[in-house]
Amino acid sequence: MRLTNGFDISASALTAQRLRMDVVSSNIANAETTRARFVNGQWQPYQRKIVTIEPKKQKPFSTYLDASLGENVSVGQGVKVTRITTDKQPFKLVYQPTHPDADENGFVRMPNVDLTKEMVDLISATRSYEANVTALNAAKGMITKALEIGR
């Protein structure tokens, strides 16, 4: 295990959580967008996006190399964003007969963005980001103290 493994792990988590906050912000910003995509001659509302974060897997060669060197192979490698998908929940139908995108019955298809869900997601991503900053600062403090011992 390298001395800077903690930095790498925290940095990957900070990057992933930052992207997650950006996607949530985009969802909130487009919560009322009824013309996001033009498909088959018809405007489609914005579809909510979801970030998928998974742990990084160690490459097979480095696994064998670490095992031959007696390194602990169970050390985490951090996380990575594997994909950003669209939420398949149906669009909300809202009765607004004066809206320019209303159908003949007066209903407008609105994005499938739930602001309460987005705020919970944003708070979760923010707390995770803060936790990783704390872990990064703790690792930095430990290395600083270790260097002071050597003086």
Side-chain angles (χ1 to χ4, degrees):
M1 181 173 154
R2 292 179 306 138
L3 189 61
T4 59
N5 263 8
F7 291 139
D8 296 340
I9 292 169
S10 291
S12 71
L14 289 172
T15 303
Q17 295 304 326
R18 173 62 192 221
L19 179 64
R20 190 171 156 211
M21 286 189 274
D22 288 346
V23 168
V24 169
S25 299
S26 173
N27 288 341
I28 291 171
N30 288 299
E32 300 288 326
T33 303
T34 57
R35 294 182 181 188
R37 292 185 320 157
F38 195 69
V39 179
N40 296 331
Q42 199 172 24
W43 285 102
Q44 299 288 319
Y46 177 80
Q47 282 187 302
R48 178 177 182 249
K49 294 188 175 35
I50 302 169
V51 175
T52 304
I53 299 173
E54 293 180 358
K56 285 183 186 174
K57 293 182 179 146
Q58 198 168 25
K59 296 175 185 161
F61 177 74
S62 63
T63 304
Y64 293 119
L65 182 63
D66 288 344
S68 68
L69 295 174
E71 298 277 330
N72 185 3
V73 293
S74 64
V75 174
Q77 300 294 313
V79 294
K80 64 180 178 182
V81 173
T82 54
R83 62 184 174 267
I84 298 174
T85 57
T86 56
D87 191 354
K88 300 296 180 196
Q89 294 289 323
F91 297 118
K92 295 182 279 186
L93 284 178
V94 177
Y95 183 70
Q96 285 184 345
T98 58
H99 195 282
D101 294 328
D103 63 7
E104 61 275 354
N105 297 324
F107 287 98
V108 179
R109 292 186 321 155
M110 300 297 283
N112 55 359
V113 175
D114 181 9
L115 289 179
T116 306
K117 195 184 296 184
E118 297 303 322
M119 288 308 295
V120 169
D121 229 19
L122 185 62
I123 291 170
S124 171
T126 304
R127 297 288 184 241
S128 180
Y129 191 89
E130 290 171 354
N132 281 293
V133 167
T134 302
L136 189 68
N137 286 334
K140 186 173 80 177
M142 286 189 286
I143 289 176
T144 303
K145 290 291 181 188
L147 290 174
E148 288 176 3
I149 291 173
R151 288 185 187 174

